[in-house]
Amino acid sequence: MPSYDPIESPDETTIFPYHDLTPPTTRDVYEARAVVRRYLPRTPLVRSESLSAELDADVYLKREDTLPTRSFKIRGFYNLVADLDPEFREKGLITSSMGNHGQGMATAAREFDVPAVIVVPETLENPTKINGMKRLGATVVAHGRDVDEAREHAERRAAEEGYRYVHGGNEPHLIAGRASAGLEVMEDRPEVDVLINPVGGGSSAAAYALTVGKLLGADVIGVQAAGADAVHRAWSGGEIELQESADTFAEGIKTRTPFALPLEIMREHLAEMLLVEDDQIRAAIRRVLADDAVLAEGAAATGVAAALELGDELAGKTVVLPISGSNLSTTKLREILDER
Ligand SMILES: *Cc1c(COP(=O)(O)O)cnc(C)c1O
């Protein structure tokens, strides 16, 4: 059985010798795209008339919610699992997740017939996501009070039991695979000026930064919830620091840890980082549901909330807002709609 000891980590997470922390090159991104294309459809980039009128801009929604498992996370896993070291095929993969990362991993693991273990926090209240992971054949383990405690548990089990530990951010294969979305945007709307994307661990914002930012020269802006701003702090000149707490209903971006690799890419290629309040996120969910018939989960609505906050600054620009996922439980949705 393979077994690896952790090596020195550039952040407060555990990493193993197979975690190469070199940012993906443009070649890596195009190669990953060729893999992703075999398994996933291209997602639509749809103009929002309502947001375009409101902001006096050309606003497009990148509909990542239309992918299998209803989030962008799956893009990375086909690239990672297709290239998995054969010594891990029997033992399988382990990761921690608030649901979408786990559903993405479970789907690709099933495709390649590799076992998948996903550690979620005991507090995760999203049956849509939990049932999704189980239905895909993954073993779901509940541990810890939040995703960072779940992560520490997954890291321990990887060291003790020999799983391939899939990190939430320090995985160039995941970032390169997720960058296929950015290549699609570049082809569909090469005139894009601004792209605003949610940041949890930062893999997706880093992926857009490497494509729409670095290759096309557009401003890629990251956005976090005001109560869960660990990456915002680290990006704005601070040290990489594990925060004491993270507070937001948007569980997809509720994390206390900045990850070194996406942070390095974002420091180089991200134009700006913003914060939005949970109230603004809920208002954005109601808005895109009513006006665009799009269901955005909390994390996915942060870009819309940030665009509304920027307001006049976006006038005359071509703006892309990725709808990163739509796994909102009906209970939560009902609560949000009732608030109006
Ligand atoms: C994970 C997730 C995010 C944040 O992505 P990171 O790559 O972790 O920054 C945003 N939206 C949704 C729907 C997610 O599941």
Side-chain angles (χ1 to χ4, degrees):
M1 184 182 77
S3 177
Y4 287 94
D5 289 328
I7 57 170
E8 197 182 339
S9 174
D11 53 34
E12 305 215 11
T13 68
T14 303
I15 64 165
F16 294 91
Y18 46 78
H19 287 124
D20 170 9
L21 300 189
T22 318
T25 61
T26 301
R27 178 193 289 264
D28 294 335
V29 169
Y30 276 94
E31 284 177 358
R33 202 262 180 104
V35 176
V36 173
R37 218 181 214 163
R38 270 182 244 141
Y39 300 98
L40 296 174
R42 189 187 183 89
T43 63
L45 188 63
V46 183
R47 185 180 163 86
S48 167
E49 289 306 336
S50 159
L51 288 166
S52 296
E54 171 87 22
L55 296 168
D56 190 21
D58 291 305
V59 181
Y60 295 88
L61 304 178
K62 175 69 170 161
R63 298 288 309 277
E64 296 289 278
D65 57 299
T66 62
L67 287 166
T69 73
R70 294 164 49 179
S71 98
F72 76 86
K73 291 258 171 45
I74 192 169
R75 288 182 183 270
F77 285 104
Y78 285 109
N79 195 41
L80 188 144
V81 186
D83 206 26
L84 184 68
D85 192 323
E87 68 178 308
F88 291 110
R89 282 189 189 281
E90 207 171 309
K91 184 70 189 174
L93 313 168
I94 192 165
T95 199
S96 57
S97 174
M98 291 298 272
N100 287 340
H101 177 79
Q103 289 192 78
M105 187 173 96
T107 309
R110 186 180 63 174
E111 177 76 34
F112 292 93
D113 207 13
V114 176
V117 178
I118 299 156
V119 186
V120 301
E122 284 156 5
T123 49
L124 178 60
E125 280 176 13
N126 189 324
T128 310
K129 291 177 175 177
I130 294 170
N131 294 336
M133 290 184 278
K134 289 184 177 161
R135 196 163 54 220
L136 288 159
T139 304
V140 179
V141 178
H143 191 98
R145 71 181 163 103
D146 66 12
V147 75
D148 289 294
E149 289 190 2
R151 173 178 54 71
E152 285 161 6
H153 183 70
E155 291 169 353
R156 239 179 348 262
R157 285 194 56 181
E160 287 166 7
E161 298 171 44
Y163 292 101
R164 165 67 165 86
Y165 171 51
V166 180
H167 198 285
N170 294 339
E171 295 281 2
H173 276 77
L174 289 188
I175 295 175
R178 290 168 184 173
S180 55
L183 296 181
E184 292 175 12
V185 169
M186 287 168 54
E187 290 160 5
D188 290 349
R189 289 285 151 197
E191 74 275 24
V192 59
D193 298 304
V194 179
L195 183 145
I196 310 176
N197 196 67
V199 174
S203 73
S204 164
Y208 282 116
L210 285 175
T211 50
V212 175
K214 178 181 167 191
L215 298 179
L216 208 56
D219 285 345
V220 175
I221 298 175
V223 49
Q224 289 206 293
D229 64 348
V231 178
H232 183 276
R233 284 168 191 254
W235 187 85
S236 317
E239 296 292 299
I240 295 186
E241 231 180 316
L242 188 75
Q243 301 295 315
E244 289 285 304
S245 62
D247 182 25
T248 172
F249 81 95
E251 74 272 355
I253 52 171
K254 187 175 175 179
T255 161
R256 295 188 279 122
T257 339
F259 298 139
L261 177 61
L263 185 65
E264 177 188 342
I265 297 168
M266 288 190 285
R267 277 188 170 144
E268 198 168 346
H269 299 291
L270 207 65
E272 205 179 330
M273 271 213 71
L274 302 172
L275 295 174
V276 291
E277 300 290 339
D278 275 15
D279 283 350
Q280 292 174 286
I281 301 173
R282 283 190 282 261
I285 290 175
R286 288 192 290 269
R287 185 180 175 112
V288 291
L289 187 61
D291 293 352
D292 299 282
V294 168
L295 177 63
E297 64 177 276
T302 55
V304 176
L308 292 166
E309 170 84 22
L310 285 171
D312 288 350
E313 283 183 50
L314 297 176
K317 297 191 170 161
T318 298
V319 180
V320 172
L321 306 175
I323 301 295
S324 51
S326 68
N327 289 305
L328 191 62
S329 72
T330 45
T331 314
K332 183 58 80 181
L333 176 61
R334 194 173 294 125
E335 231 175 81
I336 291 169
L337 293 177
D338 281 347
E339 266 172 37
R340 219 210 263 267

